[in-house]
Amino acid sequence: MLSFKFQNDTPLKILCLGAHCDDIEIGAGGTLLKIIQENEVSHLSWIVFASNEIRKQEALISAHRFVEDIPNNKVSINTFRDGFLKTEFVKIKEYFEELKKDIDPDLIFTHYRKDRHQDHRLISDLTWNTWRNHMILEYEIPKYDGDLGIPNFYVPLQEEIIHKRNKIILESFISQQNKHWFDEATFNALPRLRGIESTSRFAEAFYVRKLVI
C-alpha cells in the first residue's frame, strides 16, 4: 500500500472545490481522509457552489465530518443554481478572485476539465485560471453521461477508508436517497476499478495536467 505523505517541513494547506454538494466527497473523499490521516494539515477550505436550503444543510454535515480533525477549517456552501453556473459566470469569477487573496494552497482538488456536466467544467476552468502555479488534482464523478477518461494519478486506499467515506455520504445526503444511483454499490464501483488499474483493491484516481516537483 502506497503512502500519501508530503515531504514538507510545514503543514499542508488544502483547497477543495465542488460544483455541487456531494461532488468533493464522491470524487476525492477517500484521498482527503488519507491525507489528513498521514499528514499535518494546517488549513482546509471546502467550497461548494450550487445548493438549496436542504442540500446546504446536508453538505455542511458531511463536510464537517471530513474536516473535524483539522482545527483551522472553513466550509462554505454557496447557493448558486444547480445547472446554471455559466449564467452566473461574472459573480463566480469574482468569487474565485477573492479566494485567491485569502488562500495560497499547497494542494487543490477540483473537477475534471473534460467532465460533461457544464457546472463541473466551469469550476475546473476557473480553478486553472485562478491558480497557475499550484498542484491541482482533478477528480472524477460517475454519472449518466459516461464521460470517464484515463487518469494519470492514483491514490490507493484501504477498505476502511472507502467504507468511512461511503458512510458519511450515505448518512449525510438524505435527500438523495431516492436517486437510482445513490447507494454503496455505486460509491464502491469506481474506486474498485481504479484499484484494479493501480494494482490495489481500492483507489481514487485524478487527472494531473502539470506537476512540478
Side-chain angles (χ1 to χ4, degrees):
M1 181 63 66
L2 297 179
S3 176
F4 199 137
K5 285 190 69 66
F6 287 80
Q7 301 302 315
N8 197 334
D9 294 333
T10 59
L12 289 171
K13 300 186 296 295
I14 300 173
L15 173 61
C16 302
L17 300 167
H20 309 110
C21 289
D22 49 16
D23 287 343
I24 299 169
E25 293 91 334
I26 294 172
T31 299
L32 283 166
L33 290 172
K34 183 170 184 174
I35 291 174
I36 293 168
Q37 176 180 297
E38 296 184 353
N39 299 268
E40 183 179 357
V41 180
S42 63
H43 180 83
L44 193 149
S45 289
W46 182 296
I47 300 170
V48 174
F49 288 87
S51 72
N52 55 42
E53 280 307 310
I54 293 174
R55 296 274 277 153
K56 179 177 181 178
Q57 295 308 312
E58 293 174 344
L60 286 169
I61 291 170
S62 175
H64 283 301
R65 289 180 68 177
F66 276 90
V67 305
E68 61 186 358
D69 293 329
I70 302 172
N72 186 15
N73 66 74
K74 184 177 181 181
V75 177
S76 301
I77 312 296
N78 296 284
T79 54
F80 292 103
R81 186 179 174 187
D82 185 351
F84 289 80
L85 294 190
K86 284 189 175 181
T87 67
E88 301 280 3
F89 177 82
V90 173
K91 290 182 180 178
I92 296 174
K93 173 65 174 175
E94 290 173 344
Y95 189 99
F96 270 81
E97 291 302 309
E98 290 302 312
L99 277 178
K100 184 169 64 173
K101 298 176 186 177
D102 293 337
I103 181 171
D104 182 24
D106 301 300
L107 176 62
I108 301 172
F109 290 94
T110 193
H111 288 278
Y112 175 40
R113 64 171 164 170
K114 294 183 179 180
D115 193 304
R116 293 307 303 153
H117 196 297
Q118 65 275 13
D119 290 349
H120 295 182
R121 291 198 305 274
L122 178 64
I123 297 305
S124 181
D125 288 344
L126 287 175
T127 303
W128 281 95
N129 290 160
T130 308
W131 290 280
R132 296 178 178 273
N133 298 307
H134 294 72
M135 183 176 179
I136 300 176
L137 299 183
E138 300 176 3
Y139 56 80
E140 51 187 358
I141 303 289
K143 68 176 78 63
Y144 169 83
D145 306 83
D147 57 3
L148 296 176
I150 303 174
N152 56 5
F153 189 101
Y154 291 79
V155 181
L157 298 169
Q158 295 174 329
E159 191 162 353
E160 53 264 36
I161 288 181
I162 287 292
H163 177 72
K164 181 177 180 179
R165 181 200 72 158
N166 294 348
K167 188 172 189 290
I168 294 173
I169 294 171
L170 292 167
E171 291 179 352
S172 300
F173 295 103
I174 304 300
S175 68
Q176 304 302 293
Q177 290 183 353
N178 63 336
K179 303 288 180 67
H180 75 280
W181 56 268
F182 191 85
D183 57 31
E184 190 158 17
T186 297
F187 302 137
N188 279 335
L190 191 53
R192 183 68 186 103
L193 175 62
R194 298 315 188 196
I196 292 170
E197 294 173 349
S198 58
T199 64
S200 59
R201 180 157 180 78
F202 291 103
E204 286 177 344
F206 303 87
Y207 302 82
V208 181
R209 296 192 221 177
K210 294 183 180 181
L211 182 61
V212 179
I213 299 177

